[in-house]
Amino acid sequence: LTLTLPATTSSPPKETQMLLSAVTEATQGYPKLPYAAKEFNEIRSLFGRSKRLLNDQGDENNGMAAFKTLNFKDALKNSSYDVIHIISHAEFTKYSKDIAIVTYDGKLLLDELSDLLKITQREKPLELLTLSACSTAAGEETQWAALGLSGVAIKIGARSSLATLWQAYDLTTYILV
């Protein structure tokens, strides 16, 4: 099995189309991510052309919507992005159908994310898929769990992906990103 990735080209950050999504508050029994808001704001300041989804209410005055499952799906359906950056919790089970990213009001299953990205990234390849969540690339015995969320990036033809292979702590992830 050989994996070949195309050479990357990048746009200046202010010209890059980015989907930036984050859950920074406690929700659905998951704890607050204290450094996630800092990570969100610093990334937001770098990318001028970004669609931003944040927590429950967002801030329409600042061009932000809530990071709810339907909003995230709509954002992916309505635009093609160079970079997708997700800051949240992730759930892993030994069954691939149950692996999910936590949105403020629910969960986005790995298969759903993969299907959405395959459809919406036809015009141009995704340059970077970042999953700033605990254990995003780790998994169990199934093919999806073995690939983890970063495997979605490879499956859809993304040029690069950043995900963790271990239980990531909020501060460490913030510093790394």
Side-chain angles (χ1 to χ4, degrees):
L1 176 68
T2 303
L3 176 64
T4 305
L5 298 175
T8 61
T9 57
S10 59
S11 301
K14 293 293 181 186
E15 296 175 21
T16 300
Q17 283 284 92
M18 172 184 245
L19 175 58
L20 176 59
S21 304
V23 171
T24 64
E25 302 170 348
T27 185
Q28 303 180 58
Y30 292 93
K32 176 180 179 176
L33 297 169
Y35 289 91
K38 290 181 180 186
E39 180 180 336
F40 182 89
N41 289 326
E42 287 190 28
I43 292 169
R44 181 177 122 190
S45 72
L46 294 174
F47 293 90
R49 297 176 56 196
S50 64
K51 169 76 175 177
R52 299 177 301 273
L53 306 175
L54 180 64
N55 295 322
D56 184 30
Q57 297 174 345
D59 182 354
E60 293 300 329
N61 294 329
N62 289 319
M64 281 188 278
F67 183 26
K68 294 186 175 182
T69 306
L70 184 57
N71 288 350
F72 187 78
K73 288 178 179 181
D74 285 347
L76 286 175
K77 288 176 186 174
N78 294 325
S79 190
S80 185
Y81 298 96
D82 301 305
V83 176
I84 297 174
H85 189 95
I86 303 167
I87 305 166
S88 185
H89 297 279
E91 279 189 0
F92 291 90
T93 69
K94 67 180 185 177
Y95 304 105
S96 63
K97 66 180 179 58
D98 297 327
I99 298 172
I101 297 168
V102 176
T103 62
Y104 195 87
D105 66 338
K107 295 177 178 85
L108 183 68
L109 295 173
L110 195 62
D111 287 339
E112 292 176 296
L113 178 63
S114 178
D115 291 344
L116 285 167
L117 291 174
K118 278 191 282 189
I119 292 167
T120 61
Q121 294 302 134
R122 282 182 278 187
E123 296 173 21
K124 59 183 177 181
L126 184 63
E127 291 293 328
L128 174 64
L129 174 61
T130 300
L131 301 148
S132 184
C134 62
S135 306
T136 55
E140 298 280 337
E141 296 121 10
T142 66
Q143 69 168 20
W144 274 111
L147 288 174
L149 293 174
S150 61
V152 169
I154 292 170
K155 184 177 178 184
I156 62 145
R159 295 179 184 223
S160 54
S161 176
L162 175 63
T164 56
L165 288 169
W166 55 86
Q167 183 72 21
Y169 295 98
D170 189 39
L171 174 60
T172 308
T173 302
Y174 163 71
I175 292 168
L176 174 68
V177 172

